[in-house]
Amino acid sequence: ETGVTQTPRHLVMGMTNKKSLKCEQHLGHNAMYWYKQSAKKPLELMFVYNFKEQTENNSVPSRFSPECPNSSHLFLHLHTLQPEDSALYLCASSQRGLTVHEQYFGPGTRLTVT
Amino acid sequence: GDSVTQMEGPVTLSEEAFLTINCTYTATGYPSLFWYVQYPGEGLQLLLKATKADDKGSNKGFEATYRKETTSFHLEKGSVQVSDSAVYFCALSDRDSSYKLIFGSGTRLLVRP
């Protein structure tokens, strides 16, 4: 595997379900990100992790719970979601400490909440 | 705070036409500038980047020049193909934004045969 992978690619869940999204980066980076992309707001940064520590939470509702057990893996735990949470969830990684901070994205998980 | 403004889409072109997608930015520091592309059903891919004034980023026939005097980073391609149909995002990153990516709203490009 190369780059940034995300599983599952598609997920349909009811409002009372609990599910998790997984992201893995194979680039040796030390920072990882979750974004939400929907028709209403094209790209919203949700969470930032640097060296496994959460450094940013952009007022994300508590029904989204991130977890970063190591620099290569990032999870987004979902529970009691709302239909408006249906979106494409993108994971990204980057190497902090360099002069140029480009991020590399995974293919995303298309989430539908019914 | 930092911000990026892109031209509204969609942009519809015929194959082999010349493409320009405008991007301007506001930043207090000296940002790095990026173009990302998102093909249907996929995540974002880094298309090109430039890190200082007058730098030209290029990839796959696309080019963009970092213009500090006009705070712009317009994307151009001399001859588009149907396969270039996608959404294009301009973005910046600098110390004042804690090196996060600040994205524009995206411009959808549709190329017709």
Side-chain angles (χ1 to χ4, degrees):
Chain A
E1 291 279 10
T2 59
V4 181
T5 59
Q6 290 186 245
T7 55
R9 292 294 308 275
H10 300 273
L11 178 62
V12 179
M13 60 185 289
M15 290 190 285
T16 58
N17 291 160
K18 288 184 179 181
K19 296 287 185 182
S20 295
L21 310 185
K22 178 183 176 181
C23 174
E24 184 173 0
Q25 60 93 2
H26 308 267
L27 300 168
H29 289 163
N30 53 27
M32 297 187 77
Y33 311 79
W34 278 118
Y35 288 85
K36 176 184 178 183
Q37 186 179 35
S38 63
K40 293 185 178 180
K41 290 188 178 182
L43 272 167
E44 300 176 70
L45 178 63
M46 300 174 72
F47 301 104
V48 179
Y49 278 83
N50 290 321
F51 296 100
K52 304 187 300 179
E53 300 297 321
Q54 187 181 122
T55 57
E56 188 149 343
N57 174 342
N58 280 327
S59 303
V60 180
S62 59
R63 57 185 183 269
F64 294 91
S65 174
E67 178 190 1
C68 188
N70 55 59
S71 293
S72 298
H73 294 86
L74 184 64
F75 295 89
L76 189 61
H77 304 300
L78 316 171
H79 64 97
T80 59
L81 294 190
Q82 305 298 311
E84 60 265 28
D85 297 322
S86 298
L88 181 68
Y89 289 84
L90 292 164
C91 174
S93 70
S94 72
Q95 183 63 24
R96 299 295 287 256
L98 298 179
T99 304
V100 182
H101 289 257
E102 65 256 40
Q103 293 178 19
Y104 293 85
F105 286 79
T109 294
R110 173 68 63 186
L111 174 67
T112 303
V113 181
T114 61
Chain B
D2 294 353
S3 66
V4 175
T5 303
Q6 287 182 239
M7 60 190 293
E8 291 276 338
V11 173
T12 303
L13 296 173
S14 297
E15 205 165 22
E16 299 184 2
F18 185 86
L19 168 71
T20 300
I21 299 178
N22 290 337
C23 171
T24 57
Y25 68 90
T26 301
T28 53
Y30 297 91
S32 297
L33 301 174
F34 308 89
W35 277 101
Y36 281 83
V37 58
Q38 185 176 31
Y39 297 103
E42 299 184 12
L44 277 70
Q45 298 177 26
L46 178 63
L47 181 59
L48 54 84
K49 65 184 180 185
T51 59
K52 60 183 187 294
D54 300 324
D55 266 3
K56 177 185 283 187
S58 62
N59 186 25
K60 299 181 181 179
F62 291 89
E63 293 183 342
T65 301
Y66 190 143
R67 300 288 188 199
K68 189 165 177 60
E69 64 276 14
T70 55
T71 62
S72 65
F73 193 54
H74 304 321
L75 183 68
E76 296 181 336
K77 186 175 185 182
S79 176
V80 294
Q81 305 300 312
V82 172
S83 57
D84 294 326
S85 298
V87 180
Y88 293 81
F89 292 91
C90 185
L92 70 81
S93 171
D94 72 359
R95 188 173 58 186
D96 290 347
S97 64
S98 301
Y99 295 111
K100 292 177 298 186
L101 279 176
I102 307 298
F103 284 95
S105 57
T107 302
R108 182 175 300 277
L109 170 66
L110 177 62
V111 180
R112 301 190 185 281

PDB file of all heavy atoms in Angstrom, chain A residues 76-106:
ATOM      1  N   LEU A  76     -12.006   7.725  13.082  1.00  0.00           N
ATOM      2  CA  LEU A  76     -13.099   8.633  13.414  1.00  0.00           C
ATOM      3  C   LEU A  76     -14.276   7.765  13.841  1.00  0.00           C
ATOM      4  O   LEU A  76     -14.861   7.049  13.023  1.00  0.00           O
ATOM      5  CB  LEU A  76     -13.468   9.503  12.223  1.00  0.00           C
ATOM      6  CG  LEU A  76     -14.450  10.637  12.500  1.00  0.00           C
ATOM      7  CD1 LEU A  76     -13.877  11.621  13.520  1.00  0.00           C
ATOM      8  CD2 LEU A  76     -14.828  11.368  11.211  1.00  0.00           C
ATOM      9  N   HIS A  77     -14.575   7.800  15.140  1.00  0.00           N
ATOM     10  CA  HIS A  77     -15.669   7.009  15.689  1.00  0.00           C
ATOM     11  C   HIS A  77     -16.953   7.825  15.614  1.00  0.00           C
ATOM     12  O   HIS A  77     -16.979   9.006  15.999  1.00  0.00           O
ATOM     13  CB  HIS A  77     -15.365   6.616  17.136  1.00  0.00           C
ATOM     14  CG  HIS A  77     -14.059   5.884  17.294  1.00  0.00           C
ATOM     15  ND1 HIS A  77     -13.809   4.680  16.664  1.00  0.00           N
ATOM     16  CD2 HIS A  77     -12.941   6.197  17.999  1.00  0.00           C
ATOM     17  CE1 HIS A  77     -12.584   4.271  16.981  1.00  0.00           C
ATOM     18  NE2 HIS A  77     -12.035   5.177  17.786  1.00  0.00           N
ATOM     19  N   LEU A  78     -17.992   7.169  15.129  1.00  0.00           N
ATOM     20  CA  LEU A  78     -19.261   7.837  14.859  1.00  0.00           C
ATOM     21  C   LEU A  78     -20.368   7.215  15.698  1.00  0.00           C
ATOM     22  O   LEU A  78     -20.467   5.979  15.775  1.00  0.00           O
ATOM     23  CB  LEU A  78     -19.622   7.687  13.374  1.00  0.00           C
ATOM     24  CG  LEU A  78     -18.502   7.912  12.357  1.00  0.00           C
ATOM     25  CD1 LEU A  78     -18.974   7.508  10.964  1.00  0.00           C
ATOM     26  CD2 LEU A  78     -18.045   9.348  12.390  1.00  0.00           C
ATOM     27  N   HIS A  79     -21.203   8.048  16.315  1.00  0.00           N
ATOM     28  CA  HIS A  79     -22.357   7.515  17.039  1.00  0.00           C
ATOM     29  C   HIS A  79     -23.476   8.542  17.079  1.00  0.00           C
ATOM     30  O   HIS A  79     -23.233   9.746  17.167  1.00  0.00           O
ATOM     31  CB  HIS A  79     -21.948   7.080  18.455  1.00  0.00           C
ATOM     32  CG  HIS A  79     -21.470   8.207  19.319  1.00  0.00           C
ATOM     33  ND1 HIS A  79     -22.290   8.860  20.223  1.00  0.00           N
ATOM     34  CD2 HIS A  79     -20.281   8.805  19.416  1.00  0.00           C
ATOM     35  CE1 HIS A  79     -21.598   9.785  20.853  1.00  0.00           C
ATOM     36  NE2 HIS A  79     -20.382   9.780  20.375  1.00  0.00           N
ATOM     37  N   THR A  80     -24.685   8.052  17.001  1.00  0.00           N
ATOM     38  CA  THR A  80     -25.908   8.865  16.994  1.00  0.00           C
ATOM     39  C   THR A  80     -25.796  10.036  16.036  1.00  0.00           C
ATOM     40  O   THR A  80     -26.004  11.204  16.398  1.00  0.00           O
ATOM     41  CB  THR A  80     -26.280   9.356  18.405  1.00  0.00           C
ATOM     42  OG1 THR A  80     -25.212  10.127  18.950  1.00  0.00           O
ATOM     43  CG2 THR A  80     -26.586   8.185  19.291  1.00  0.00           C
ATOM     44  N   LEU A  81     -25.444   9.713  14.791  1.00  0.00           N
ATOM     45  CA  LEU A  81     -25.306  10.773  13.793  1.00  0.00           C
ATOM     46  C   LEU A  81     -26.665  11.264  13.313  1.00  0.00           C
ATOM     47  O   LEU A  81     -27.694  10.615  13.523  1.00  0.00           O
ATOM     48  CB  LEU A  81     -24.479  10.269  12.613  1.00  0.00           C
ATOM     49  CG  LEU A  81     -23.012   9.933  12.897  1.00  0.00           C
ATOM     50  CD1 LEU A  81     -22.279   9.684  11.595  1.00  0.00           C
ATOM     51  CD2 LEU A  81     -22.322  11.033  13.684  1.00  0.00           C
ATOM     52  N   GLN A  82     -26.624  12.406  12.640  1.00  0.00           N
ATOM     53  CA  GLN A  82     -27.801  13.030  12.066  1.00  0.00           C
ATOM     54  C   GLN A  82     -27.724  12.954  10.541  1.00  0.00           C
ATOM     55  O   GLN A  82     -26.628  12.864   9.978  1.00  0.00           O
ATOM     56  CB  GLN A  82     -27.888  14.491  12.508  1.00  0.00           C
ATOM     57  CG  GLN A  82     -27.873  14.687  14.013  1.00  0.00           C
ATOM     58  CD  GLN A  82     -29.076  14.012  14.656  1.00  0.00           C
ATOM     59  OE1 GLN A  82     -30.206  14.189  14.210  1.00  0.00           O
ATOM     60  NE2 GLN A  82     -28.820  13.223  15.697  1.00  0.00           N
ATOM     61  N   PRO A  83     -28.851  13.033   9.861  1.00  0.00           N
ATOM     62  CA  PRO A  83     -28.808  12.993   8.392  1.00  0.00           C
ATOM     63  C   PRO A  83     -27.904  14.065   7.784  1.00  0.00           C
ATOM     64  O   PRO A  83     -27.268  13.811   6.765  1.00  0.00           O
ATOM     65  CB  PRO A  83     -30.275  13.209   8.001  1.00  0.00           C
ATOM     66  CG  PRO A  83     -31.049  12.648   9.149  1.00  0.00           C
ATOM     67  CD  PRO A  83     -30.245  12.989  10.376  1.00  0.00           C
ATOM     68  N   GLU A  84     -27.787  15.211   8.437  1.00  0.00           N
ATOM     69  CA  GLU A  84     -26.933  16.278   7.886  1.00  0.00           C
ATOM     70  C   GLU A  84     -25.445  15.960   8.001  1.00  0.00           C
ATOM     71  O   GLU A  84     -24.604  16.699   7.472  1.00  0.00           O
ATOM     72  CB  GLU A  84     -27.217  17.618   8.567  1.00  0.00           C
ATOM     73  CG  GLU A  84     -26.974  17.648  10.067  1.00  0.00           C
ATOM     74  CD  GLU A  84     -28.243  17.388  10.847  1.00  0.00           C
ATOM     75  OE1 GLU A  84     -29.149  16.700  10.340  1.00  0.00           O
ATOM     76  OE2 GLU A  84     -28.317  17.898  12.001  1.00  0.00           O
ATOM     77  N   ASP A  85     -25.127  14.853   8.679  1.00  0.00           N
ATOM     78  CA  ASP A  85     -23.732  14.407   8.745  1.00  0.00           C
ATOM     79  C   ASP A  85     -23.325  13.601   7.515  1.00  0.00           C
ATOM     80  O   ASP A  85     -22.148  13.239   7.370  1.00  0.00           O
ATOM     81  CB  ASP A  85     -23.496  13.567   9.996  1.00  0.00           C
ATOM     82  CG  ASP A  85     -23.721  14.358  11.270  1.00  0.00           C
ATOM     83  OD1 ASP A  85     -23.352  15.547  11.304  1.00  0.00           O
ATOM     84  OD2 ASP A  85     -24.285  13.778  12.228  1.00  0.00           O
ATOM     85  N   SER A  86     -24.279  13.317   6.658  1.00  0.00           N
ATOM     86  CA  SER A  86     -23.961  12.616   5.413  1.00  0.00           C
ATOM     87  C   SER A  86     -23.025  13.487   4.581  1.00  0.00           C
ATOM     88  O   SER A  86     -23.311  14.665   4.321  1.00  0.00           O
ATOM     89  CB  SER A  86     -25.238  12.347   4.617  1.00  0.00           C
ATOM     90  OG  SER A  86     -26.109  11.509   5.340  1.00  0.00           O
ATOM     91  N   ALA A  87     -21.875  12.914   4.188  1.00  0.00           N
ATOM     92  CA  ALA A  87     -20.848  13.684   3.492  1.00  0.00           C
ATOM     93  C   ALA A  87     -19.732  12.745   3.085  1.00  0.00           C
ATOM     94  O   ALA A  87     -19.740  11.554   3.386  1.00  0.00           O
ATOM     95  CB  ALA A  87     -20.289  14.791   4.400  1.00  0.00           C
ATOM     96  N   LEU A  88     -18.735  13.309   2.434  1.00  0.00           N
ATOM     97  CA  LEU A  88     -17.486  12.600   2.151  1.00  0.00           C
ATOM     98  C   LEU A  88     -16.491  12.994   3.237  1.00  0.00           C
ATOM     99  O   LEU A  88     -16.254  14.179   3.460  1.00  0.00           O
ATOM    100  CB  LEU A  88     -16.948  12.991   0.776  1.00  0.00           C
ATOM    101  CG  LEU A  88     -15.648  12.311   0.326  1.00  0.00           C
ATOM    102  CD1 LEU A  88     -15.889  10.817   0.080  1.00  0.00           C
ATOM    103  CD2 LEU A  88     -15.104  12.968  -0.932  1.00  0.00           C
ATOM    104  N   TYR A  89     -15.946  12.009   3.930  1.00  0.00           N
ATOM    105  CA  TYR A  89     -14.974  12.263   4.983  1.00  0.00           C
ATOM    106  C   TYR A  89     -13.586  11.911   4.461  1.00  0.00           C
ATOM    107  O   TYR A  89     -13.314  10.778   4.073  1.00  0.00           O
ATOM    108  CB  TYR A  89     -15.330  11.485   6.253  1.00  0.00           C
ATOM    109  CG  TYR A  89     -16.547  12.070   6.900  1.00  0.00           C
ATOM    110  CD1 TYR A  89     -17.828  11.699   6.486  1.00  0.00           C
ATOM    111  CD2 TYR A  89     -16.429  13.060   7.874  1.00  0.00           C
ATOM    112  CE1 TYR A  89     -18.952  12.285   7.049  1.00  0.00           C
ATOM    113  CE2 TYR A  89     -17.558  13.647   8.441  1.00  0.00           C
ATOM    114  CZ  TYR A  89     -18.812  13.264   8.012  1.00  0.00           C
ATOM    115  OH  TYR A  89     -19.929  13.850   8.556  1.00  0.00           O
ATOM    116  N   LEU A  90     -12.740  12.916   4.465  1.00  0.00           N
ATOM    117  CA  LEU A  90     -11.404  12.783   3.907  1.00  0.00           C
ATOM    118  C   LEU A  90     -10.356  12.822   5.009  1.00  0.00           C
ATOM    119  O   LEU A  90     -10.431  13.641   5.919  1.00  0.00           O
ATOM    120  CB  LEU A  90     -11.122  13.922   2.922  1.00  0.00           C
ATOM    121  CG  LEU A  90     -11.939  13.913   1.632  1.00  0.00           C
ATOM    122  CD1 LEU A  90     -11.855  15.265   0.942  1.00  0.00           C
ATOM    123  CD2 LEU A  90     -11.458  12.818   0.702  1.00  0.00           C
ATOM    124  N   CYS A  91      -9.388  11.954   4.865  1.00  0.00           N
ATOM    125  CA  CYS A  91      -8.238  11.924   5.759  1.00  0.00           C
ATOM    126  C   CYS A  91      -7.033  12.451   4.976  1.00  0.00           C
ATOM    127  O   CYS A  91      -6.940  12.241   3.753  1.00  0.00           O
ATOM    128  CB  CYS A  91      -7.992  10.497   6.222  1.00  0.00           C
ATOM    129  SG  CYS A  91      -6.504  10.255   7.194  1.00  0.00           S
ATOM    130  N   ALA A  92      -6.133  13.114   5.664  1.00  0.00           N
ATOM    131  CA  ALA A  92      -4.924  13.611   5.020  1.00  0.00           C
ATOM    132  C   ALA A  92      -3.759  13.495   5.993  1.00  0.00           C
ATOM    133  O   ALA A  92      -3.956  13.394   7.212  1.00  0.00           O
ATOM    134  CB  ALA A  92      -5.092  15.061   4.573  1.00  0.00           C
ATOM    135  N   SER A  93      -2.547  13.527   5.440  1.00  0.00           N
ATOM    136  CA  SER A  93      -1.362  13.533   6.289  1.00  0.00           C
ATOM    137  C   SER A  93      -0.337  14.505   5.727  1.00  0.00           C
ATOM    138  O   SER A  93      -0.392  14.880   4.547  1.00  0.00           O
ATOM    139  CB  SER A  93      -0.760  12.128   6.400  1.00  0.00           C
ATOM    140  OG  SER A  93      -0.169  11.734   5.180  1.00  0.00           O
ATOM    141  N   SER A  94       0.573  14.930   6.588  1.00  0.00           N
ATOM    142  CA  SER A  94       1.647  15.825   6.153  1.00  0.00           C
ATOM    143  C   SER A  94       2.837  15.655   7.080  1.00  0.00           C
ATOM    144  O   SER A  94       2.731  15.025   8.147  1.00  0.00           O
ATOM    145  CB  SER A  94       1.182  17.286   6.152  1.00  0.00           C
ATOM    146  OG  SER A  94       1.035  17.777   7.486  1.00  0.00           O
ATOM    147  N   GLN A  95       3.944  16.233   6.691  1.00  0.00           N
ATOM    148  CA  GLN A  95       5.154  16.195   7.507  1.00  0.00           C
ATOM    149  C   GLN A  95       5.356  17.579   8.104  1.00  0.00           C
ATOM    150  O   GLN A  95       5.773  18.507   7.404  1.00  0.00           O
ATOM    151  CB  GLN A  95       6.356  15.784   6.668  1.00  0.00           C
ATOM    152  CG  GLN A  95       7.645  15.639   7.463  1.00  0.00           C
ATOM    153  CD  GLN A  95       7.578  14.545   8.507  1.00  0.00           C
ATOM    154  OE1 GLN A  95       6.790  13.599   8.399  1.00  0.00           O
ATOM    155  NE2 GLN A  95       8.392  14.658   9.538  1.00  0.00           N
ATOM    156  N   ARG A  96       5.016  17.716   9.380  1.00  0.00           N
ATOM    157  CA  ARG A  96       5.219  19.003  10.046  1.00  0.00           C
ATOM    158  C   ARG A  96       6.704  19.185  10.323  1.00  0.00           C
ATOM    159  O   ARG A  96       7.442  18.224  10.522  1.00  0.00           O
ATOM    160  CB  ARG A  96       4.441  19.042  11.365  1.00  0.00           C
ATOM    161  CG  ARG A  96       2.958  18.881  11.215  1.00  0.00           C
ATOM    162  CD  ARG A  96       2.327  20.024  10.456  1.00  0.00           C
ATOM    163  NE  ARG A  96       2.273  21.221  11.247  1.00  0.00           N
ATOM    164  CZ  ARG A  96       1.172  21.689  11.833  1.00  0.00           C
ATOM    165  NH1 ARG A  96       0.050  21.041  11.725  1.00  0.00           N
ATOM    166  NH2 ARG A  96       1.218  22.801  12.523  1.00  0.00           N
ATOM    167  N   GLY A  97       7.134  20.435  10.339  1.00  0.00           N
ATOM    168  CA  GLY A  97       8.540  20.737  10.583  1.00  0.00           C
ATOM    169  C   GLY A  97       9.286  21.079   9.319  1.00  0.00           C
ATOM    170  O   GLY A  97      10.401  21.599   9.372  1.00  0.00           O
ATOM    171  N   LEU A  98       8.666  20.820   8.170  1.00  0.00           N
ATOM    172  CA  LEU A  98       9.270  21.209   6.901  1.00  0.00           C
ATOM    173  C   LEU A  98       8.809  22.615   6.526  1.00  0.00           C
ATOM    174  O   LEU A  98       7.819  23.117   7.043  1.00  0.00           O
ATOM    175  CB  LEU A  98       8.868  20.235   5.801  1.00  0.00           C
ATOM    176  CG  LEU A  98       9.290  18.786   5.973  1.00  0.00           C
ATOM    177  CD1 LEU A  98       8.786  17.958   4.814  1.00  0.00           C
ATOM    178  CD2 LEU A  98      10.796  18.665   6.129  1.00  0.00           C
ATOM    179  N   THR A  99       9.480  23.206   5.610  1.00  0.00           N
ATOM    180  CA  THR A  99       9.107  24.557   5.179  1.00  0.00           C
ATOM    181  C   THR A  99       7.792  24.547   4.416  1.00  0.00           C
ATOM    182  O   THR A  99       6.968  25.443   4.556  1.00  0.00           O
ATOM    183  CB  THR A  99      10.211  25.155   4.290  1.00  0.00           C
ATOM    184  OG1 THR A  99      11.442  25.134   5.004  1.00  0.00           O
ATOM    185  CG2 THR A  99       9.864  26.575   3.895  1.00  0.00           C
ATOM    186  N   VAL A 100       7.588  23.533   3.602  1.00  0.00           N
ATOM    187  CA  VAL A 100       6.377  23.467   2.787  1.00  0.00           C
ATOM    188  C   VAL A 100       5.499  22.351   3.331  1.00  0.00           C
ATOM    189  O   VAL A 100       5.949  21.219   3.482  1.00  0.00           O
ATOM    190  CB  VAL A 100       6.706  23.184   1.304  1.00  0.00           C
ATOM    191  CG1 VAL A 100       5.427  23.179   0.488  1.00  0.00           C
ATOM    192  CG2 VAL A 100       7.686  24.214   0.800  1.00  0.00           C
ATOM    193  N   HIS A 101       4.259  22.662   3.617  1.00  0.00           N
ATOM    194  CA  HIS A 101       3.380  21.730   4.309  1.00  0.00           C
ATOM    195  C   HIS A 101       2.262  21.215   3.427  1.00  0.00           C
ATOM    196  O   HIS A 101       1.091  21.362   3.752  1.00  0.00           O
ATOM    197  CB  HIS A 101       2.790  22.397   5.552  1.00  0.00           C
ATOM    198  CG  HIS A 101       3.792  22.610   6.635  1.00  0.00           C
ATOM    199  ND1 HIS A 101       3.877  21.812   7.749  1.00  0.00           N
ATOM    200  CD2 HIS A 101       4.778  23.510   6.751  1.00  0.00           C
ATOM    201  CE1 HIS A 101       4.871  22.232   8.517  1.00  0.00           C
ATOM    202  NE2 HIS A 101       5.427  23.262   7.935  1.00  0.00           N
ATOM    203  N   GLU A 102       2.623  20.586   2.322  1.00  0.00           N
ATOM    204  CA  GLU A 102       1.532  20.026   1.527  1.00  0.00           C
ATOM    205  C   GLU A 102       0.957  18.810   2.227  1.00  0.00           C
ATOM    206  O   GLU A 102       1.667  18.082   2.925  1.00  0.00           O
ATOM    207  CB  GLU A 102       1.989  19.650   0.118  1.00  0.00           C
ATOM    208  CG  GLU A 102       3.010  18.547   0.051  1.00  0.00           C
ATOM    209  CD  GLU A 102       4.393  19.073  -0.226  1.00  0.00           C
ATOM    210  OE1 GLU A 102       4.754  20.131   0.339  1.00  0.00           O
ATOM    211  OE2 GLU A 102       5.113  18.424  -1.004  1.00  0.00           O
ATOM    212  N   GLN A 103      -0.318  18.622   2.022  1.00  0.00           N
ATOM    213  CA  GLN A 103      -1.005  17.479   2.603  1.00  0.00           C
ATOM    214  C   GLN A 103      -1.338  16.488   1.499  1.00  0.00           C
ATOM    215  O   GLN A 103      -1.612  16.865   0.365  1.00  0.00           O
ATOM    216  CB  GLN A 103      -2.285  17.931   3.310  1.00  0.00           C
ATOM    217  CG  GLN A 103      -2.025  18.786   4.539  1.00  0.00           C
ATOM    218  CD  GLN A 103      -3.286  19.263   5.204  1.00  0.00           C
ATOM    219  OE1 GLN A 103      -4.369  18.720   4.995  1.00  0.00           O
ATOM    220  NE2 GLN A 103      -3.167  20.285   6.017  1.00  0.00           N
ATOM    221  N   TYR A 104      -1.356  15.218   1.885  1.00  0.00           N
ATOM    222  CA  TYR A 104      -1.695  14.141   0.974  1.00  0.00           C
ATOM    223  C   TYR A 104      -2.971  13.492   1.468  1.00  0.00           C
ATOM    224  O   TYR A 104      -3.077  13.131   2.647  1.00  0.00           O
ATOM    225  CB  TYR A 104      -0.542  13.142   0.876  1.00  0.00           C
ATOM    226  CG  TYR A 104       0.661  13.754   0.217  1.00  0.00           C
ATOM    227  CD1 TYR A 104       1.583  14.484   0.958  1.00  0.00           C
ATOM    228  CD2 TYR A 104       0.864  13.646  -1.166  1.00  0.00           C
ATOM    229  CE1 TYR A 104       2.679  15.082   0.359  1.00  0.00           C
ATOM    230  CE2 TYR A 104       1.955  14.245  -1.775  1.00  0.00           C
ATOM    231  CZ  TYR A 104       2.853  14.960  -1.014  1.00  0.00           C
ATOM    232  OH  TYR A 104       3.921  15.561  -1.620  1.00  0.00           O
ATOM    233  N   PHE A 105      -3.916  13.357   0.556  1.00  0.00           N
ATOM    234  CA  PHE A 105      -5.262  12.922   0.916  1.00  0.00           C
ATOM    235  C   PHE A 105      -5.523  11.474   0.542  1.00  0.00           C
ATOM    236  O   PHE A 105      -4.986  10.966  -0.458  1.00  0.00           O
ATOM    237  CB  PHE A 105      -6.301  13.791   0.209  1.00  0.00           C
ATOM    238  CG  PHE A 105      -6.431  15.169   0.793  1.00  0.00           C
ATOM    239  CD1 PHE A 105      -5.513  16.150   0.499  1.00  0.00           C
ATOM    240  CD2 PHE A 105      -7.479  15.464   1.655  1.00  0.00           C
ATOM    241  CE1 PHE A 105      -5.623  17.422   1.050  1.00  0.00           C
ATOM    242  CE2 PHE A 105      -7.596  16.735   2.202  1.00  0.00           C
ATOM    243  CZ  PHE A 105      -6.666  17.716   1.910  1.00  0.00           C
ATOM    244  N   GLY A 106      -6.394  10.846   1.342  1.00  0.00           N
ATOM    245  CA  GLY A 106      -6.932   9.556   0.976  1.00  0.00           C
ATOM    246  C   GLY A 106      -8.119   9.709   0.046  1.00  0.00           C
ATOM    247  O   GLY A 106      -8.539  10.842  -0.246  1.00  0.00           O
TER     248      GLY A 106
END
